[in-house]
Amino acid sequence: MTEDHPCVCVVDDDQSMRESLRDLLCSMGLNVQTFASAHEFLTRPRPDGPSCLVLDIQLPGLSGLDLQQELAKVNVSMPTIFITSSGDIPMTLRAMKTVAIDFLTKPFRDDD
């Protein structure tokens, strides 16, 4: 991967959502790595210093919010866009208190 093509890591347990996001982000000239769970993200090799993390909140095992907290504990900080199919107010507020730069409720438009 080259520096002029940032890498975005997508973590979502829904395969069709991962593929859709990968295709959309690749069409914008970004490099993308996808992960099906927080555990996979933590254990599989990933690029040094991804530019952004697109993270589903509701994941099997470790949730997206919990993953974000685990990353913060080891001083890994990157802009994060949280996505979820249930956008309740307390969850949104909790997500926005982290390093989240945005919070999207599924389904969302590509323009979002």
Side-chain angles (χ1 to χ4, degrees), residues 10 12-22 34-36:
V10 175
D12 197 314
D13 58 325
D14 181 322
Q15 181 177 355
S16 64
M17 179 59 68
R18 278 194 318 272
E19 291 172 357
S20 294
L21 284 168
R22 181 198 62 221
T34 61
F35 305 86

Side-chain angles (χ1 to χ4, degrees), residues 2-110:
T2 62
E3 289 181 29
D4 56 338
H5 290 92
C7 182
V8 176
C9 291
V10 175
V11 184
D12 197 314
D13 58 325
D14 181 322
Q15 181 177 355
S16 64
M17 179 59 68
R18 278 194 318 272
E19 291 172 357
S20 294
L21 284 168
R22 181 198 62 221
D23 294 346
L24 174 65
L25 295 168
C26 285
S27 75
M28 299 168 68
L30 300 168
N31 291 313
V32 180
Q33 277 194 321
T34 61
F35 305 86
S37 68
H39 177 74
E40 182 181 357
F41 178 81
L42 290 170
T43 58
R44 197 172 95 191
R46 58 188 181 276
D48 291 330
S51 298
C52 185
L53 179 63
V54 178
L55 181 58
D56 188 9
I57 288 182
Q58 296 178 342
L59 295 168
L62 193 66
S63 76
L65 289 171
D66 292 337
L67 170 60
Q68 182 21 256
Q69 290 173 346
E70 289 299 312
L71 293 172
K73 286 180 187 176
V74 293
N75 294 320
V76 174
S77 178
M78 68 189 80
T80 303
I81 299 170
F82 284 106
I83 56 175
T84 188
S85 56
S86 62
D88 64 27
I89 304 261
M91 185 185 309
T92 303
L93 291 173
R94 185 172 166 213
M96 295 311 285
K97 287 181 182 178
T98 67
V99 298
I101 57 172
D102 210 344
F103 185 91
L104 300 173
T105 303
K106 298 176 192 175
F108 49 85
R109 300 179 324 248
D110 289 350

